Amino acid sequence: MDRRSFLQSLTGAVAGHTMIGATKNPPNFVFILMDDLGWADLSCYGSKYYETPNLDRLGKSGARFTDAYAAAPVCSPTRASIIAGKYPARLGITNYLPGKHPTPFSKLIGVDCVQQLPLSETTIAEALKPLGYKSANIGKWHLGTEPYFPEKQGFDVNVGGTQSGMPKSFFYPGWEKNPPLEAKPGDYLTDVLTDEAIKFIGQNQKNPFFLYLPHYAVHVPIEAREELVRKYRNKKPGELQNDPIYAAMIQNMDENVGRVVDEIDRLGLGDNTYIFFTSDNGGLSAPEWKLKPVTSNAPLREGKGHLYEGGIRVPLIVRGPGVVKGQAIRTPVSSVDYLSTLVDLGGGTSSGTDGVSLKPLMQTGKPSVERDLFWHYPHYSNQLGRPSSAIRSGDWKLIEFHEDKHVELYHLAKDVSEKKDLSQSQPAKVKELQQSLHNWLKSVDAKYPTPNPNYDPAREGEGYWWKTANQAVPGRG
């Protein structure tokens, strides 16, 4: 038995986190994570084209966070931050895995990041286990190869979680091996994962459970059932949100969230179950894999792959016992907060994380602590994003770009679209935030991109998935 297992068996502790006590009737947790779902992709967040009645209903029966953030503008780093409660820069997982350098002639070379969530990290599943929880990962993992799969990271059940970040198709048998999940020809992946989630809930209704349900939708490939696609082809499109296939994927997602919520309520578990719904990064508002943009994050700027608001601000809805109902909570929160929050709600305590428990905020709507939030993305993204780091402090946000060290400063309460750069008119604020950002980067031992010996400004954009890297992209906000 290794030291970690020995400590757990003796004391109910997990190395790096101390768990104290357990509630008499601990609550259940359902954590639904969507892939590439934008902040403005739900009707309760302002969409006029997509239809999400089940999530609208969930928001009215719980709390809707207006300023919730993913810890990274791409998937794997945010997923690591959720599961381990730490900033991606501290974990060394700062890009999607395995990660690429899409611009061979760019000014900098992106960082080589850690290729898996280390087994030495304490996951949510491991943190909850001493409190009596049974945990399942049903869906996308994307945090390392087989030795680092969910079943090696404290999860009792793993359905569909591998090193892969996307299926070849959402229709079976197009995902026969990715994920390795059996189904009937024509079955749709989001539906099948929901079936498995409902099965797990039914099998564990007598004991506390943590269901982590990270869907592969609404990531590419953009595919949906034809009957839903026809519906949106016949619907008047929005000015910027107007892709009928993506809209059909959104509706299918919403219907499946509704199925999970209805099953929890049908089994009489609603009064003792917390449901979290969020996304791993902003919506895809730039060309990717030679596809046109599929959504718009407006009024937020840009989208996936950028540290502007459209790339990192995400929807977050929470329903559960004691959670304020029908309230929009404007306090900034981060994906690093979820481990601390679930352990706190489960009756334990945690240490060694970068997050804070959101329990007081969820129950009162008021923050218990004011703190800065940070991001570090030392890469060129497939969506034209450039290596950068950022800090949000109150309503102020500063982004530092690593190619030339220039900074941009925005006041989000007055300028959520980040249109007016105040860095020249607010030098004192720039100095203050830049110093805080640099101190944080040093504290997490952040890695920086390095000069590219092959840098050629005339050929800089050749490595992107599309031919012209600097062309204007409609609907990018």
Side-chain angles (χ1 to χ4, degrees):
M1 180 180 292
D2 60 24
R3 179 176 179 273
R4 184 178 184 180
S5 301
F6 177 72
L7 285 172
Q8 182 175 342
S9 65
L10 276 183
T11 66
V14 181
H17 300 266
T18 303
M19 311 302 157
I20 302 175
T23 59
K24 186 176 182 180
N25 188 25
N28 306 304
F29 300 114
V30 175
F31 195 102
I32 303 172
L33 180 66
M34 302 310 302
D35 196 344
D36 288 3
L37 179 73
W39 179 82
D41 281 351
L42 307 183
S43 50
C44 57
Y45 278 81
S47 177
K48 303 299 182 184
Y49 183 53
Y50 311 137
E51 298 179 17
T52 56
N54 291 291
L55 283 160
D56 299 346
R57 175 166 53 93
L58 189 68
K60 290 179 180 178
S61 62
R64 180 175 60 86
F65 289 73
T66 63
D67 293 52
Y69 288 96
V74 293
C75 56
S76 297
T78 298
R79 292 164 189 273
S81 75
I82 291 170
I83 293 297
K86 294 181 180 180
Y87 278 114
R90 189 185 299 280
L91 295 167
I93 306 174
T94 50
N95 203 5
Y96 73 94
L97 299 181
K100 298 179 181 179
H101 185 70
T103 55
F105 304 107
S106 59
K107 191 172 185 179
L108 302 176
I109 297 176
V111 170
D112 288 331
C113 63
V114 174
Q115 291 295 300
Q116 63 279 320
L117 181 63
L119 298 180
S120 58
E121 294 295 334
T122 301
T123 67
I124 294 179
E126 289 169 326
L128 291 175
K129 193 174 292 290
L131 302 176
Y133 281 81
K134 186 168 184 179
S135 299
N137 174 90
I138 298 178
K140 177 175 172 176
W141 181 244
H142 205 191
L143 289 174
T145 55
E146 194 277 334
Y148 303 92
F149 281 1
E151 56 267 36
K152 308 295 176 60
Q153 302 272 17
F155 288 88
D156 302 291
V157 176
N158 175 30
V159 178
T162 70
Q163 72 271 23
S164 182
M166 57 180 282
K168 291 183 178 179
S169 171
F170 276 91
F171 291 99
Y172 193 83
W175 44 265
E176 184 176 9
K177 295 181 179 180
N178 174 33
L181 180 63
E182 294 184 1
K184 303 187 302 297
D187 281 353
Y188 192 70
L189 180 55
T190 311
D191 299 334
V192 174
L193 290 174
T194 300
D195 292 341
E196 294 293 330
I198 289 173
K199 184 188 305 181
F200 175 81
I201 292 170
Q203 292 171 344
N204 291 277
Q205 58 183 297
K206 301 299 183 182
N207 55 265
F209 61 81
F210 165 48
L211 168 60
Y212 178 50
L213 181 54
H215 279 290
Y216 286 86
V218 289
H219 192 286
V220 297
I222 305 303
E223 298 176 336
R225 295 194 180 281
E226 184 56 35
E227 61 269 22
L228 287 179
V229 176
R230 282 198 302 269
K231 170 185 173 179
Y232 286 95
R233 282 184 177 141
N234 292 325
K235 181 178 179 178
K236 182 179 179 181
E239 182 180 355
L240 296 175
Q241 294 179 335
N242 49 36
D243 188 313
I245 305 177
Y246 185 74
M249 291 185 81
I250 295 276
Q251 178 168 333
N252 174 267
M253 168 202 76
D254 180 77
E255 291 172 351
N256 278 293
V257 171
R259 291 175 60 204
V260 172
V261 175
D262 288 347
E263 181 67 8
I264 290 168
D265 292 342
R266 186 187 71 82
L267 294 173
L269 303 175
D271 291 339
N272 197 39
T273 299
Y274 288 93
I275 302 172
F276 291 74
F277 175 90
T278 189
S279 177
D280 62 349
N281 50 248
L284 183 61
S285 62
E288 184 179 70
W289 301 96
K290 300 182 181 179
L291 296 173
K292 67 182 180 68
V294 297
T295 193
S296 168
N297 301 297
L300 306 185
R301 182 175 176 179
E302 294 289 1
K304 179 182 180 179
H306 295 260
L307 290 187
Y308 293 112
E309 291 293 283
I312 53 177
R313 194 184 290 209
V314 293
L316 171 61
I317 297 172
V318 183
R319 190 194 88 169
V323 176
V324 292
K325 294 184 178 181
Q327 186 169 334
I329 297 178
R330 306 191 182 281
T331 301
V333 301
S334 170
S335 55
V336 299
D337 296 328
Y338 297 127
L339 188 150
S340 297
T341 301
L342 268 61
V343 172
D344 188 12
L345 292 169
T349 60
S350 61
S351 63
T353 72
D354 288 319
V356 301
S357 173
L358 301 179
K359 179 180 177 180
L361 180 61
M362 289 159 46
Q363 293 180 341
T364 66
K366 299 178 181 179
S368 59
V369 61
E370 293 186 5
R371 39 86 193 238
D372 297 338
L373 299 179
F374 301 93
W375 294 264
H376 182 55
Y377 187 64
H379 308 278
Y380 293 88
S381 75
N382 292 335
Q383 303 80 27
L384 303 178
R386 296 179 179 270
S388 52
S389 302
I391 175 176
R392 174 165 178 175
S393 182
D395 288 325
W396 290 99
K397 180 181 173 186
L398 179 139
I399 308 175
E400 180 177 275
F401 293 86
H402 295 297
E403 288 177 314
D404 58 6
K405 298 301 180 185
H406 91 272
V407 300
E408 297 175 8
L409 178 70
Y410 301 99
H411 192 278
L412 296 178
K414 299 177 182 178
D415 180 24
V416 72
S417 300
E418 296 170 296
K419 292 181 177 179
K420 188 175 182 180
D421 178 9
L422 302 174
S423 59
Q424 296 301 311
S425 63
Q426 297 284 341
K429 181 59 69 172
V430 167
K431 183 178 180 180
E432 172 195 339
L433 295 185
Q434 200 168 24
Q435 186 61 57
S436 295
L437 177 59
H438 290 174
N439 290 343
W440 174 78
L441 289 166
K442 183 177 180 180
S443 74
V444 298
D445 192 24
K447 303 300 186 293
Y448 292 88
T450 54
N452 186 359
N454 298 317
Y455 173 53
D456 183 348
R459 304 180 66 185
E460 186 175 1
E462 288 187 13
Y464 281 113
W465 297 111
W466 46 96
K467 292 182 179 180
T468 305
N470 296 316
Q471 65 186 1
V473 181
R476 285 178 62 197

